Amino acid sequence: LKCSKAAVRDLEGASALATKTMRLPRALLLVLIAPASVAALVDLFAPKGKRDGLIKAAAKLKQLPLSEEELQWLHVLAEGWATPLDGFMTEKQYLQSLHYEHIIVDGNMVPMPVPIVKACTTEEKAAIEGAAEVALTAPDGSIVATLAKPEVFQHMKEERAGRTFGITHPEHPYIEMINKSGDWLVGGKVTVLKDFKYNDGMDQFRLSPAQLQAKFKQLGADAVFVFQLRNPVHNGHALLMQDTAEKLKAKGFKKPVLWLSPLGGWTKDDDVPLDTRMAQHHAIIKNGVFGDTPVVLAIFPSPMLYAGPREVQWHAYARLNGGASHYIVGRDPAGMKHPGTGEDIYHMWHGQTMLEMAPGLQKMQLLPFTFAAYDSKAGKMSFVDPKRKDDFVSISGSKMRKMAKEGTNPPDGFMDPEGWQILVKYYKSLDQKPEL
């Protein structure tokens, strides 16, 4: 049976809260179980006492420059977020990730849904040919790591884009970066020679997986539920977090802890930048929007890919390595509009569905939540009551950004007022910047 998009919209009803699958909007709380084949976190840092000597030795090696995005991936690798990877992917690891969304470790499949790779040009390939080890340099020219036994293989860019994103449109922002990068990929084990410091006033919130695990233990957490963020938090999110804590307590957990986990790597130009998001997160935590639930605010250093269901598996698996026991996922995670058609690239529920089925994250248990929207009768964010759905107003991210740009206040109860003013200030600053 075929029907037009207009007919589908009619079937679903006029409510802005209707979904393409005819089910009520919901978020899922998934229980994360580590794959048995992954024993311990990878730590790729050289011992501190040996670093000066290793940097001096690395200065004599042939050098490969890292892009800003590749430096962020090195940060991810070094701290063990991508355990058991011990370096940029070799050709076999890359193909396994690209086509299986896993890598094979001791005969076992371990989730690794996105390629973590280092590109190089034909000239750079020729320069390092035959080298047993090369030095990796940051965008400022400093040596940050060495890469042993570099394995160079062809960068099949269209295949990488098609398999990772399901599209190859050159205006997708991450695909654009792929197309601008070198025609070769270099894999090999890395040894990191420096700590990662961004000197942006937020380094104290860049906790490694090992530090996070220790923090959660110190707090006495018996459940850690993580909320992945690349947008500001409104009161609907806060309501969901409070409800999650209560549901976990009802299941017998004594001290659930919320890990608020903003993505800290590269994002597309029209996303709210990390420093603004962090300021907004600090304000709402200070003002108690999460109730009495303990909150750990810690940045996840990964770049954003906008790869939909494939990427949400990466986000969940990396947070598992950071100590999360439960992962919350909502509609269209890691999605965006198609740069050519303006339509959603990914089905809004497929990210959830893929996590439920992910073979490397077994025994996930489903805890359904109704999404929150603005209740015009109650004058606050509330869970949607299907019996009076017309009373609820969905304020989308694009509508929220438009209001902030125009300096228009949202309805009372939509967002913590101090957090809202931080967004307004950011968008006003954009208007004051001179055009180049």
Side-chain angles (χ1 to χ4, degrees):
L1 176 65
K2 295 182 179 180
C3 60
S4 68
K5 290 183 180 179
V8 171
R9 285 195 295 270
D10 290 341
L11 287 169
E12 291 169 343
S15 170
L17 300 170
T19 71
K20 293 180 181 178
T21 56
M22 299 292 287
R23 59 176 166 182
L24 271 176
R26 65 176 188 176
L28 303 186
L29 181 70
L30 300 165
V31 180
L32 302 181
I33 308 295
S37 53
V38 178
L41 284 175
V42 164
D43 179 356
L44 302 184
F45 289 99
K48 286 186 181 291
K50 296 183 178 181
R51 291 184 190 178
D52 289 344
L54 290 171
I55 289 173
K56 287 179 182 177
K60 300 175 183 178
L61 300 174
K62 293 175 180 177
Q63 298 184 355
L64 272 179
L66 296 165
S67 68
E68 196 67 45
E69 176 247 354
E70 289 169 343
L71 182 64
Q72 292 167 4
W73 281 124
L74 182 65
H75 186 169
V76 165
L77 291 166
E79 293 183 342
W81 295 98
T83 295
L85 276 183
D86 60 5
F88 287 107
M89 287 179 175
T90 62
E91 185 171 23
K92 285 185 178 179
Q93 290 171 330
Y94 170 71
L95 290 173
Q96 290 164 6
S97 171
L98 201 63
H99 295 280
Y100 302 151
E101 301 187 27
H102 290 68
I103 57 173
I104 301 172
V105 179
D106 298 328
N108 296 303
M109 302 285 274
V110 177
M112 202 60 63
V114 299
I116 301 178
V117 292
K118 162 81 188 96
C120 74
T121 64
T122 300
E123 293 76 20
E124 289 165 344
K125 172 181 178 288
I128 66 170
E129 196 146 10
E133 188 177 32
V134 297
L136 300 177
T137 60
D140 66 3
S142 64
I143 293 172
V144 291
T146 58
L147 185 147
K149 299 179 181 178
E151 178 186 324
V152 182
F153 52 101
Q154 193 169 359
H155 189 184
M156 306 296 290
K157 298 178 183 180
E158 188 170 19
E159 179 191 27
R160 179 182 170 189
R163 294 293 301 184
T164 304
F165 302 96
I167 65 170
T168 59
H169 197 289
E171 292 177 21
H172 182 290
Y174 202 94
I175 293 175
E176 184 179 0
M177 284 201 297
I178 290 173
N179 289 337
K180 288 179 178 178
S181 66
D183 292 333
W184 305 91
L185 298 175
V186 187
K189 184 174 181 178
V190 300
T191 300
V192 179
L193 307 179
K194 290 183 177 180
D195 292 332
F196 289 89
K197 298 294 182 186
Y198 295 78
N199 299 315
D200 56 4
M202 297 181 284
D203 282 331
Q204 69 269 35
F205 299 101
R206 291 185 172 92
L207 302 182
S208 70
Q211 289 171 323
L212 280 162
Q213 290 183 19
K215 179 72 172 177
F216 298 139
K217 185 177 181 180
Q218 178 190 352
L219 289 171
D222 56 356
V224 177
F225 61 105
V226 61
F227 190 42
Q228 140 92 17
L229 292 162
R230 64 177 175 92
N231 286 305
V233 176
H234 57 63
N235 287 348
H237 299 135
L239 182 63
L240 175 59
M241 299 305 105
Q242 292 178 33
D243 195 58
T244 300
E246 292 305 313
K247 282 184 165 63
L248 288 171
K249 288 176 182 176
K251 284 181 167 286
F253 293 101
K254 302 298 183 185
K255 194 169 183 182
V257 170
L258 167 60
W259 171 12
L260 207 58
S261 183
L263 186 132
W266 173 87
T267 56
K268 55 190 176 68
D269 291 342
D270 60 348
D271 280 355
V272 178
L274 179 63
D275 58 351
T276 301
R277 286 184 278 129
M278 286 293 286
Q280 195 261 357
H281 301 340
H282 282 301
I284 63 173
I285 292 171
K286 179 192 70 175
N287 294 332
V289 302
F290 298 112
D292 59 1
T293 301
V295 180
V296 173
L297 177 62
I299 295 167
F300 175 47
S302 174
M304 190 74 195
L305 283 83
Y306 307 94
R310 190 172 185 126
E311 184 173 6
V312 75
Q313 295 174 74
W314 158 241
H315 289 167
Y317 181 66
R319 277 18 179 273
L320 173 65
N321 287 330
S325 58
H326 298 74
Y327 186 82
I328 294 173
V329 58
R331 289 180 292 185
D332 194 23
M336 61 170 281
K337 299 294 184 183
H338 193 290
T341 66
E343 300 283 335
D344 290 341
I345 299 176
Y346 310 107
H347 189 289
M348 68 171 68
W349 298 114
H350 282 179
Q352 291 185 358
T353 304
M354 287 301 296
L355 273 184
E356 291 177 77
M357 298 188 298
L361 297 170
Q362 294 126 354
K363 299 181 182 177
M364 288 184 173
Q365 297 176 13
L366 175 68
L367 199 59
F369 295 91
T370 302
F371 263 106
Y374 188 74
D375 185 342
S376 59
K377 288 285 179 69
K380 63 179 183 178
M381 298 295 286
S382 304
F383 291 120
V384 176
D385 181 353
K387 294 178 182 177
R388 54 182 190 90
K389 62 183 180 181
D390 290 341
D391 293 337
F392 290 85
V393 179
S394 178
I395 300 177
S396 66
S398 57
K399 185 175 181 180
M400 180 180 70
R401 288 190 293 271
K402 183 175 184 291
M403 292 170 72
K405 287 176 184 177
E406 294 172 350
T408 304
N409 287 328
D412 289 343
F414 172 73
M415 184 184 289
D416 172 76
E418 185 179 353
W420 178 256
Q421 288 307 313
I422 288 168
L423 292 186
V424 171
K425 182 179 178 181
Y426 163 68
Y427 282 111
K428 281 186 177 178
S429 73
L430 294 183
D431 292 338
Q432 293 167 2
K433 287 182 179 178
E435 293 187 9
L436 299 178

